[in-house]
Amino acid sequence: MTRLNVVREGDGPIVVLSHALGCDLTMWDGVAAQLARAHTVIRYDHRNHGASEVVPGPLRIETLAEDAAELIRREAGGEPVHFVGLSMGGMTAQALAVRHPELLKTVVIANSSAHYPDQAPWRARAETVNAQGVAAIAPGAVSRWLTPDFVTTPEGAAAAKALHDVLVRTDPQAYIASCNAVAAIDFRESNHRIAVPTLVIGGLRDEATPMAMSQAIAGAIPHAQLATIDAAHVSAAERPVEFAQLLIDFWRSL
């Protein structure tokens, strides 16, 4: 069993938060603070990220979904949870919802994609990291994660620095394996089989996974709801209060 770093806070219905590629569970600090007032919030670092175990070798998103399933069984004691994933976490959510619907009350897929028709940018990124380390791609990544206006505020500058510092601490080979896993996803067919109540959140200013990708996910999943947030790619770090409110409104609507 892969050793995952887990933080648990609050009390109430269980929410599991799953982070983006190159981030860790601190990406959710603002959202977790909001939700923990009335929920049990469980955050974790994916394998190869943060303080979780680095597992050598190739990786598939389905493996991350199995990690999440194990975590839910262990931490929630068989009770179904609200699972919220952003970017790579949203890909994990898409795989998890098909493979283990019995573990889920609802699923939220934020700032994510179901498929990348062009894998060349991912290959280029992996090659850069292999040659020069994660620091070489970090400034470009963080610039896509947050809007320029937000980064000019004191709060935004602090968020950008925190995300950058986590990214550059990521093991290069572990990052490459995760990068390749993201590049290889194709949930276009399997998303039609998701039967768990689903909310898709798209960032209006997200250049990494533009709104069209969120619209495609929502269009494929039966009865999925689609919401927008005025943010770039890591919307949960940029607009945590609004992000948390979208979740709460969705759960209340069911």
Side-chain angles (χ1 to χ4, degrees), residues 15-28:
V15 183
V16 176
L17 303 177
S18 183
H19 66 75
L21 172 68
C23 298
D24 68 3
L25 57 76
T26 61
M27 186 201 93
W28 294 108

Side-chain angles (χ1 to χ4, degrees), residues 109-111 200-204 206 209 211 214 226-231:
I109 301 161
N111 303 85
V200 180
I201 299 175
L204 293 172
D206 186 348
T209 50
M211 266 309 297
S214 290
L226 176 64
T228 60
I229 190 164
D230 185 16

